[in-house]
Amino acid sequence: MADRGDIFDSEEDDSVRTTSTAGTTLALAALLGATVACVGYHAKPGTAEPAAATEETMTETVPTEQATAADNPLLQQWSGPYNGVPAFDRMDLADLEPAFEVAMAENLAELDAIADNPEPPTFENTIVAMERAGDTLGRVFPYFAIWSSNLSSPEFRQIQGRIAPKLAAFGSKIIQNTKLFERVAAVHDGDEVAGLRPDEQRLVQLAYDEFARNGATLEGAAKERYAAINQRLAELYTQFANNVLADEEGYVLYLDESQLGGLPESFVQAAAAAAEERGHAGEYAVTNTRSSMDPFLTYSDERDLRETVWRTYYSRGDNGDEHDNNAIITEILKLRDERVELLGYDNYAQWRLEDRMAKTPERALELMEAVWPAALARVDEEVADMQAVADSEGAEIEIAPWDYRYYSEKVRKAKYDLDSDEVKQYLQLDKLRQAMFFVAGELFGFEFKPVPEGSVPVYHPDVTAWEVTDRASGELVGVWYFDPFARTGKRSGAWASTYRGHESFDGEVTVVVSNNANFIKGAPGEPVLISWDDAETMFHEFGHALHSLSSNVAYPTLNGGVRDYTEFQSQLLERWLLTAPVIDHYLVHTKTGEPIPAELVAKIKNAKTFNEGFATTEYLASALIDMKLHTTDPDGLDPDAFERRTLARLHMPDEIPMRHRTPQFGHIFSGEGYSAGYYGYLWADVLTADAAEAFADAPGGFYDKALAKRLVEHLFAPRNAVDPAEAYRAFRGRDAKIDALMRDRGFPVPGDAAPGGRSSD
Ligand SMILES: [Zn+2]
């Protein structure tokens, strides 16, 4: 998040429940690398989600391993304290594939039994029975998540490659179970629903939608066409991703020593290594990726080279050669449109947003268009600041897109320079963890205590386990694992994973959850010091953990998330990092113990709004194009012309490109994770800013007891048991407004004459 860079924010929650049965869906999610992974408040995603796996028919053969299933530790009920914990000390990779085979077969058999029930369908014998299914598979997934994110290896990745298509086929098989869907539909349409509790009514609706929105209502030719479209889309997603990758790998700029002016030593070293890797020892390689392009454009004094690097990067997938993505985009858009038309929707975005908090493309567009003018106005100011620097240096240039990062860095140094080493002296990993526990105690009433030594197995000696209890009642809430340090085989970034979610319909189930990061271990006995961005990220991930721990839902499916909503809770928790008790007791100097000085805090806050015109504009341009592409009739659509025309109408500044131009927009064309959904980051930011302002204005501030109670009750505990828009209204007494977000970004708050509504719940 430091660089607002390319960390893929793969929300656990949304993908976790891709089908409506309890255990099954965890599967699909984790498979796509998607335990809750996160980035901080402002980070925008960069890499595309993996292409949808192709559908294959699952083999009907009962795995031979079933004979030994009884001995497979990954399939066992969890034992030990805290209502059982995963057997992380008994993980053997050889057991993983057989465990999946057995667990998937068991889950399908359970669902078949529900479908074949001779009794008339009822909520209990159909919907509740489905919630009960998939328990074994749900237990296999935490192990998979650990191997995938915390302990990866080439052997694991091979197994993952084999499991992926099987899981995709498994998911399809459930959706295509006509008898099962007929029973769900019968409950959904029957009289019994009216007498159910609201959360149970919502559960019925979610179960029904999961089938209906994925083609289960179709018959005959339409059903066949639907399947054919999905098959073709899966191919196109892969091709799209491969083309972008080919252009990232295919264009490398080699520099000689005379062309390194301005570049930091760390960049030069990496560029030398990258050149050597490619057989160009003695030269310096600028690769065609964001992580290479961004620092090069920020620091290189060579304007011509900056232009070359800029043009190459923003032409990925758009070079008119065999890797050009334009024709693929048109075909994808047409197929998506045709597919949702079969289901009765006007356009793809309408289908996509129906179960999001925004609900309609119009409301998402309204929000984006309300913020857009302020971002453009800020860009004018930023360009003027940069032009002044260029003029004072006698550069005799007009700021061009390849100058933006370069001159904005000069402005930053002059106006907002923060000494990150100075800040770090106040950010000790252990103190920050204590600060998080303090906040959890004040807001949630949770108490964190280390588990008795040796009582809970871990998969690595660096991992610690903590018992979480309710301070008032003393009752067990769950177990929290913390895996803070980088090591080989651990993915980069920071994330949270839920290994066991809360449920109560068959007895109280307590939560098992983890936070994971990649800090560098200090010398023995020395405190580990981390950066400001890392400290925010720690609070962010802890917010996800608290969201899991505070769940009070009855049924597992109701733990699922809503894509434009699930980052809100975690982003909100970041705001407690700069509250007075945290500053005074935990953000203390590693040597002197003095709290971080107010002027340094002011500098940190000030630096946050720097370059916000650029950041908001490049992001919003991509989000707007995404939504417009998915609300426009795709017949005869030329993506290049569409992008040019739409940006011109929006008065996109010449100095800034879209963060992801259409031919390289992997989020929306390498799969469907973010298609018509890129706006979601802004949506969650609006909620975050608006909710934080409620605390800032409360009598007790960020520790206001009454407001904290409402926070937990309405925004955390219900997960997806309540419509997010209703939940937010219950917390705030009204819908969210964009005003607080505008203040956060240093933008003027639009007056009554501003275009578009300001309601954004
Ligand atoms: Zn997150």
Side-chain angles (χ1 to χ4, degrees), residues 711-728:
L711 174 83
V712 178
E713 184 181 336
H714 297 299
L715 300 183
F716 276 72
R719 302 283 312 189
N720 197 20
V722 176
D723 179 288
E726 279 174 38
Y728 193 83

Side-chain angles (χ1 to χ4, degrees), residues 347 349-350 353 358-366 368 627 631:
N347 58 54
Q350 194 185 62
L353 271 75
K359 293 199 176 66
T360 68
E362 291 73 26
R363 302 192 62 207
L365 275 168
E366 188 180 292
M368 291 190 272
M627 197 57 77
T631 46

